[in-house]
Amino acid sequence: MKGPLLKVENLVKHYPLGKGMFKKNAKVVRAVQDVSFTVEAGETLCIVGESGCGKSTVARLLMRLTEPTEGRVLLEGTDIASLNTHALRDGRRRMQLVFQDPSSSLNPRLTAGQIITEPVENFERMTRAKREALASDLLRKVGLAQEIMHRLPSELSGGQRQRLGIARALSLNPAIIIADEAVSALDVSVQAQILNLLMDLQEETGIAFVFISHDLGVVEHIGHRVAVMYLGRIVELAKSDVLFAKPLHPYTEALIAAAPLPDPREVRREVPVEGEVPSPVNPPAGCAFHPRCPLAEARCRVEVPALTTLPDGRAVACHVRASSGEAMQPLIDASQSGGNRQADLQPSR
Ligand code: SF4
């Protein structure tokens, strides 16, 4: 296969609002605006942002669970919009989704073994022996005991249910998994187990992930690259270690500065950002972040900044930072604590 595993080109998703939806000037929710990125085989791209930034809509667009207003998604070079129902089913074998809430995404009437093998049985007839061998293999792969095979989802813990959801997604041998807030509903200790499981599976099988999360700690742990979304747009896209050490976009800086540090003795430099995220129905003109941005200048109020790739490979949508090309100082205040803080910020990947 030439080119990236997944290529997303200029995706736009607008949802018409209310009764006026057929009128010319009807209000629309601008959920996703001109989003482009690629994912290579064996890579984890994280998409991060606050609630309502459009990241879950991107997940739905990738799976073609909703149709884009504009733009396209190419999986292994094929535009998924060009696939008929039959071909789309095959395409979905290659790209699977893991949901946030394992309880609601698993059929409560099926046993764990049936849940795992059900997707495969939609494509092929299997003997009982083959079915049991497949379920047994996938239970082992995701670290679940064999006796779970005959239990219902209600008899499992939250962590076990999420492992089961991952086993089900793996059953069709996908090239990529879209994980939408896949660990958000779990306790911190269970979160770590699931993240480690995903990284082990990646090492073992070369699978790629698009990992969608609002939690920067999780993203830093698992991502090779990170795309930061604000009000439907990607505002920064960079390698994870680069982004967390020296964020470039003022919103990325504020997001990282507001995230808790694992070591309470460490102090992050304050990044002053005021106000709330504006409505996607009526986003501000120009740069959507300008009403909250401490660096905003006249141009920012009228001109939408393009996502610009800089010589070091990172991309940023900011008039000021794209032209200066300068990352901010490290966010950890070196005067506040000892130790190698820069090293402490390095992701564990
Ligand atoms: Fe701030 Fe202007 Fe950059 Fe937007 S384009 S983030 S308003 S400096």
Side-chain angles (χ1 to χ4, degrees), residues 87 93 151 160 199 207 214 221 227 235 243-245 251 320 323 337 344:
R93 289 187 82 141
R151 293 201 195 144
Q160 286 173 326
M199 289 191 289
I207 197 169
H214 69 280
H221 189 70
V235 295
L243 184 121
F244 279 94
Y251 175 65
V320 174
S323 53
S337 67
D344 289 346

Side-chain angles (χ1 to χ4, degrees), residues 249-251 287-291 293-297 300 303 305 317-321:
H249 194 282
Y251 175 65
C287 172
F289 191 57
H290 85 253
C293 181
L295 305 181
E297 46 190 47
C300 305
E303 207 176 308
C318 173
H319 296 307
V320 174
R321 291 283 166 75

Side-chain angles (χ1 to χ4, degrees), residues 173-190:
N173 202 17
I176 184 164
I177 286 182
I178 315 299
D180 186 7
E181 299 281 7
V183 297
S184 309
L186 305 172
D187 291 344
V188 176
S189 62
V190 184

Side-chain angles (χ1 to χ4, degrees), residues 6-20:
L6 180 70
K7 188 172 189 188
V8 172
E9 291 180 343
N10 310 104
L11 268 191
V12 173
K13 182 65 186 177
H14 292 171
Y15 293 101
L17 266 188
K19 288 179 187 165

Side-chain angles (χ1 to χ4, degrees), residues 106-325:
L106 303 175
N107 187 332
R109 287 187 289 275
L110 297 185
T111 63
Q114 290 169 323
I115 284 169
I116 291 174
T117 55
E118 190 193 27
V120 183
E121 286 182 283
N122 288 333
F123 288 91
E124 59 184 86
R125 278 184 178 278
M126 286 193 293
T127 61
R128 186 174 170 181
K130 194 175 174 192
R131 220 181 296 139
E132 285 189 0
L134 175 67
S136 166
D137 181 46
L138 285 166
L139 283 175
R140 183 192 50 76
K141 253 190 185 148
V142 300
L144 286 173
Q146 296 296 314
E147 55 261 33
I148 279 175
M149 178 97 75
H150 303 292
R151 293 201 195 144
L152 296 170
S154 58
E155 297 171 306
L156 304 177
S157 69
Q160 286 173 326
R161 283 197 288 263
Q162 195 55 296
R163 283 176 192 267
L164 187 56
I166 293 166
R168 180 183 163 88
L170 289 173
S171 68
L172 288 167
N173 202 17
I176 184 164
I177 286 182
I178 315 299
D180 186 7
E181 299 281 7
V183 297
S184 309
L186 305 172
D187 291 344
V188 176
S189 62
V190 184
Q191 272 189 8
Q193 291 170 16
I194 299 290
L195 294 177
N196 288 334
L197 167 66
L198 293 177
M199 289 191 289
D200 290 346
L201 288 170
Q202 188 169 61
E203 216 167 288
E204 199 181 311
T205 64
I207 197 169
F209 294 106
V210 174
F211 197 90
I212 292 168
S213 178
H214 69 280
D215 186 333
L216 285 162
V218 166
V219 166
E220 186 175 9
H221 189 70
I222 198 170
H224 292 111
R225 287 187 302 142
V226 179
V228 180
M229 284 189 74
Y230 184 77
L231 221 59
R233 292 182 191 273
I234 292 180
V235 295
E236 185 161 2
L237 203 167
K239 282 186 178 172
S240 179
D241 53 351
V242 173
L243 184 121
F244 279 94
K246 286 192 174 182
L248 204 51
H249 194 282
Y251 175 65
T252 314
E253 264 190 295
L255 211 56
I256 295 175
L261 281 165
D263 183 346
R265 292 167 303 172
E266 292 186 329
V267 180
R268 277 195 174 117
R269 182 166 48 76
E270 277 191 32
V271 177
V273 168
E274 290 173 1
E276 300 291 318
V277 181
S279 163
V281 179
N282 192 18
C287 172
F289 191 57
H290 85 253
R292 306 173 72 194
C293 181
L295 305 181
E297 46 190 47
R299 182 183 173 189
C300 305
R301 295 179 185 90
V302 287
E303 207 176 308
V304 178
L307 188 66
T308 307
T309 303
L310 305 182
D312 66 358
R314 62 161 74 192
V316 66
C318 173
H319 296 307
V320 174
R321 291 283 166 75
S323 53
S324 73

